[in-house]
């Protein structure tokens, strides 16, 4: 961690702040930060903040297909990379050493930038109102990143786990600040402290006539608060903040009128194969960051550019009526990644790498529906759910979902969450389902796949069963060993 911070200090302001600074900050020089515009430019560089590189969200659930059939059918690294199989089968032996886990480091980079703003805020020129907004925005960044880190590298939070290891809480830009991990209870207390400050944001999501969800804003803070409180099963507060966010902004993307196909072809074994992408596949950075459902523009990023949908996931959709299946599951997409393999779909949202992961209006409706259903008023919850479904189901085939009791309503709502945003919500949802007040939504995961060692899949041997059960310590994914070593032993690895 200390080595990591030294590297950050050397390059932290290259980019958006380049026009403001005459020298690069270093340990031994005074940082030439004198105006509020310099700090605003740092938080305004969305390239620092907008990607969420969680391998666990992409690979660790039954949204992602791992199978003998696919392994034997493909040859390219988009599917047959060792780290994919290791992460997807919840390995804890080799994964810390694979050198491919960047999520811990990138989220701490965001926290570092936020701390830079907080550290220099009092000493720069600018109005008190401007400073208050940047302080709140920096705390939103920290709350969001700490929550992501805890939700990937720590056990799910409850009374039984509160004294387990949390994350490293970085509150300054000092080289001497300890990188030791806090307790899980301290981690969640810090998330709530940062969130409390973030909720003081007063900037609207629309500023000077421009829709700006890539910047901190009052609606983004409320929306993240709704997500956070749902994650700890506090349905009252989740509902409170979902309602507050929706009261600010409630635009929904309508698949019936705003989605179309982008048709193209690729050559496979000297034959032309048609591939129909959703029109959102072609969206550029500006269009993606301005996606009208966003409260806060963040994207899940999978470096292999192939979200491989499982048979289980695809089987949940009404393939005729659900427009999310029609447009987002791209037939023959495997040929783009491996031109000599077999035909298999890919899940596509915005480009090959990105799926919206930041809080959206559709997520707020799902949180609102689930919070209402879990607190007893399940009939009203179903009405809220239909406000979303009417924008996602073919208008000519639309029928309302029917629940006969609270349990049926909750199950329909949580299924809808998975249909709405696979490879994003599912990992985080499974963690909370296994730690809430009911057992009917518990999740135990298993896969059958070949055995492997640290470098090779042993495809000539019989299949074995890999499991991730409720209560398993592997719900806390391993921290990269490079981080453990660079912290000089202060960061403790998870125990299994």
């Amino acid at each position: 961690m200390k080595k990591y911070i030294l590297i950050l200090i050397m390059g932290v302001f290259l980019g958006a702040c380049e026009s403001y600074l005459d020298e690069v900050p270093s340990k031994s020089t005074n940082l030439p930060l004198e105006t509020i515009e310099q700090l605003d430019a740092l938080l305004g560089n969305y390239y620092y903040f907008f990607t969420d590189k969680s391998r666990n969200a992409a690979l660790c659930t039954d949204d992602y297909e791992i199978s003998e059939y696919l392994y034997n059918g493909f040859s390219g690294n988009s599917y047959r990379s060792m780290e994919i199989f290791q992460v997807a089968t919840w390995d804890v032996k080799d994964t810390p050493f694979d050198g491919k886990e960047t999520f811990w480091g990138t989220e701490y980079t965001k926290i570092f930038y936020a701390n830079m703003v907080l550290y220099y805020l009092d000493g720069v020129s600018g109005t008190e109102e401007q400073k208050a907004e940047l302080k709140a925005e920096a705390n939103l960044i920290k709350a969001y990143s700490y929550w992501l880190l805890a939700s990937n590298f720590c056990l799910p939070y409850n009374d039984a786990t509160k004294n387990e290891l949390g994350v490293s809480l970085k509150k300054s830009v000092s080289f001497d600040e300890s990188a030791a991990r806090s307790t899980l209870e301290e981690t969640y207390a810090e998330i709530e402290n940062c969130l409390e400050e973030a909720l003081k944001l007063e900037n609207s999501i629309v500023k000077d006539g421009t829709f700006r969800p890539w910047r901190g804003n009052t609606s983004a803070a409320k929306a993240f608060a709704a997500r956070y409180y749902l994650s700890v099963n506090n349905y009252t507060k989740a509902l409170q903040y979902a309602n507050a966010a929706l009261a600010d902004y409630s635009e929904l993307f309508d698949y019936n009128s705003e989605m179309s196909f982008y048709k193209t072809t690729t050559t496979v074994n000297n034959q032309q194969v048609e591939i129909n992408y959703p029109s959102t596949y072609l969206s550029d950075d500006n269009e993606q960051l301005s996606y009208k459902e966003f409260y806060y523009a963040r994207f899940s990023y999978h470096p292999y550019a192939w979200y491989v949908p499982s048979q289980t996931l695809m089987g949940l959709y009404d393939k005729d009526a659900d427009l999310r299946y029609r447009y987002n599951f791209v037939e023959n997409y495997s040929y783009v990644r491996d031109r000599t393999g077999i035909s298999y779909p890919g899940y596509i949202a915005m480009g090959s790498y990105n799926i919206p992961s930041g809080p959206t209006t559709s997520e707020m409706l799902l949180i609102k529906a689930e919070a209402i259903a879990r607190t007893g008023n399940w009939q009203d919850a179903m009405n809220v759910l239909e406000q979303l479904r009417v924008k996602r189901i073919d208008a000519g085939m639309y029928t309302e979902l029917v629940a006969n009791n609270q349990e049926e309503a909750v199950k329909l709502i949580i299924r809808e969450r998975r249909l709405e945003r696979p490879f994003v919500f599912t990992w985080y949802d499974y963690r909370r389902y296994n730690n809430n007040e009911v057992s009917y939504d518990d999740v135990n995961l298993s896969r059958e796949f070949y055995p492997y060692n640290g470098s090779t899949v042993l495809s000539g041997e019989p299949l074995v069963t890999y499991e991730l059960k409720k209560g398993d310590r592997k719900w806390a994914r391993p921290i990269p060993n490079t981080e453990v070593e660079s912290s000089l032993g202060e960061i403790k690895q998870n125990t299994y």
Side-chain angles (χ1 to χ4, degrees):
M1 179 70 76
K2 289 182 179 177
K3 179 175 74 174
Y4 151 75
I5 290 177
L6 284 169
I7 292 170
L8 278 175
I9 280 288
M10 292 171 62
V12 63
F13 282 105
L14 296 179
C17 298
E18 188 173 345
S19 62
Y20 288 111
L21 303 184
D22 296 323
E23 66 175 302
V24 178
S26 70
K27 185 175 181 180
S28 59
T29 60
N30 293 321
L31 296 173
L33 295 174
E34 300 173 347
T35 69
I36 199 76
E37 288 80 11
Q38 293 170 317
L39 300 184
D40 184 71
L42 176 58
L43 296 190
N45 190 333
Y46 56 80
Y47 282 110
Y48 292 159
F49 302 108
F50 81 105
T51 54
D52 158 8
K53 298 183 178 182
S54 172
R55 299 192 297 178
N56 310 308
L59 303 173
C60 278
T61 75
D62 49 351
D63 286 351
Y64 195 91
E65 182 78 357
I66 294 292
S67 70
E68 172 190 18
Y69 169 73
L70 291 185
Y71 180 83
N72 293 333
F74 297 111
S75 59
N77 286 339
S78 293
Y79 188 78
R80 297 185 66 172
S81 295
M82 275 303 302
E83 64 268 18
I84 289 179
F85 301 124
Q86 290 169 342
V87 174
T89 55
W90 315 291
D91 167 78
V92 295
K93 178 183 177 183
D94 296 310
T95 298
F97 303 94
D98 68 11
K100 301 296 180 65
E101 177 60 85
T102 62
F103 189 48
W104 178 277
T106 55
E107 291 306 312
Y108 274 107
T109 300
K110 298 172 189 177
I111 292 167
F112 183 83
Y113 293 153
N115 280 336
M116 289 286 286
V117 170
L118 295 172
Y119 181 78
Y120 289 103
L121 197 56
D122 288 340
V124 301
S125 63
T127 69
E128 291 306 309
E129 291 78 9
Q130 288 173 315
K131 292 181 180 182
E133 282 298 296
L134 288 184
K135 178 181 179 181
E137 183 173 4
N139 274 284
L140 177 59
I141 290 167
K142 292 182 67 174
Y144 199 101
S145 289
Y146 280 140
W147 179 80
L148 285 173
L149 287 162
S151 299
N152 281 268
F153 299 105
C154 303
L155 293 171
Y157 179 47
N158 55 45
D159 284 340
T161 63
K162 64 183 181 182
N163 293 320
E164 294 276 359
L165 287 173
V167 301
S168 304
L169 300 177
K170 306 300 293 182
K171 299 183 180 181
S172 75
V173 293
S174 169
F175 304 119
D176 297 320
E177 183 181 15
S178 174
R181 297 174 68 180
S182 64
T183 67
L184 201 52
E185 185 172 32
E186 290 167 339
T187 293
Y188 276 79
E190 181 63 10
I191 294 171
E192 293 201 23
N193 288 338
C194 293
L195 181 54
E196 183 178 349
E197 290 297 317
L199 286 166
K200 296 176 183 178
L201 273 162
E202 295 183 355
N203 275 340
S204 170
I205 197 170
V206 177
K207 186 174 183 180
D208 299 328
T210 301
F211 181 60
R212 302 195 323 159
W214 60 87
R215 291 301 301 265
N217 61 81
T218 182
S219 304
K222 294 168 187 174
F224 175 68
R227 177 186 289 188
Y228 168 76
Y229 283 113
L230 185 71
S231 77
V232 295
N233 303 311
N234 186 333
Y235 307 123
T236 300
K237 283 195 171 182
L239 177 60
Q240 172 191 339
Y241 287 110
N243 276 332
L246 288 166
D248 287 348
Y249 182 79
S250 59
E251 287 290 315
L252 285 173
F253 187 87
D254 192 338
Y255 272 61
N256 280 283
S257 59
E258 297 181 80
M259 187 70 90
S260 58
F261 284 117
Y262 162 64
K263 299 179 184 292
T264 187
T265 60
T266 191
T267 302
V268 181
N269 297 326
N270 297 319
Q271 300 291 321
Q272 291 290 300
V273 177
E274 185 175 85
I275 301 177
N276 295 325
Y277 294 95
S279 52
T280 51
Y281 173 78
L282 289 176
S283 53
D284 59 24
D285 285 350
N286 182 61
E287 291 170 321
Q288 291 184 20
L289 290 165
S290 301
Y291 176 56
K292 74 176 185 179
E293 288 196 3
F294 268 142
Y295 291 105
Y296 202 39
R298 294 291 186 270
F299 295 90
S300 177
Y301 175 87
H302 180 34
Y304 290 97
W306 185 11
Y307 292 89
V308 184
S310 69
Q311 294 294 317
T312 299
L313 173 64
M314 292 188 288
L316 295 175
Y317 290 83
D318 181 333
K319 294 180 175 61
D320 296 320
D322 198 323
L323 297 176
R324 291 168 297 192
Y325 185 86
R326 187 181 304 175
Y327 288 109
N328 292 125
F329 290 82
V330 176
E331 299 296 330
N332 297 321
Y333 182 75
S334 57
Y335 291 137
V336 178
R337 312 312 307 165
D338 186 322
R339 292 170 188 254
T340 62
I342 57 178
S343 174
Y344 200 83
Y347 182 87
I348 295 292
M350 294 183 177
S352 298
Y353 298 90
N354 293 335
I355 302 176
S357 60
T360 59
T361 51
S362 55
E363 183 187 359
M364 291 307 105
L365 287 174
L366 289 164
I367 291 174
K368 179 176 179 177
E370 184 176 347
I372 292 172
R374 288 193 185 271
T375 53
N377 196 354
W378 54 270
Q379 297 95 334
D380 284 352
M382 296 302 294
N383 292 332
V384 173
L385 186 63
E386 295 305 328
Q387 294 174 37
L388 173 62
R389 293 186 72 252
V390 73
K391 303 291 186 180
R392 304 300 197 245
I393 306 301
D394 189 313
M397 292 183 271
Y398 174 78
T399 57
E400 292 187 1
L401 297 176
V402 177
N404 297 306
N405 53 53
Q406 182 184 30
E407 180 177 333
E408 287 184 10
V410 170
K411 287 181 175 179
L412 287 171
I413 293 165
I414 64 178
R415 186 184 74 174
E416 199 68 24
R417 282 181 62 85
R418 190 172 175 191
L419 301 180
E420 178 66 19
R421 197 63 78 208
F423 305 102
V424 173
F425 289 164
T426 311
W427 170 255
Y428 305 105
D429 284 344
Y430 283 0
R431 287 169 55 92
R432 67 183 176 88
Y433 297 159
N434 283 343
N435 290 276
N436 63 16
E437 69 287 351
V438 298
S439 60
Y440 59 72
D441 56 4
D442 287 355
V443 176
N444 294 296
L445 296 171
S446 66
R447 301 188 191 276
E448 282 197 347
F449 189 61
Y450 293 117
Y452 53 78
N453 56 34
S455 60
T456 305
V457 172
L458 305 175
S459 57
E461 297 189 13
L463 300 180
V464 298
T465 300
Y466 300 89
E467 294 182 316
L468 181 64
K469 294 185 176 181
K470 177 180 179 177
D472 197 316
R473 295 189 67 84
K474 291 185 293 186
W475 285 100
R477 305 307 302 143
I479 295 169
N481 190 63
T482 52
E483 299 291 344
V484 175
E485 289 187 345
S486 66
S487 74
L488 304 179
E490 284 192 317
I491 297 175
K492 302 300 182 184
Q493 182 60 270
N494 294 320
T495 57
Y496 300 99

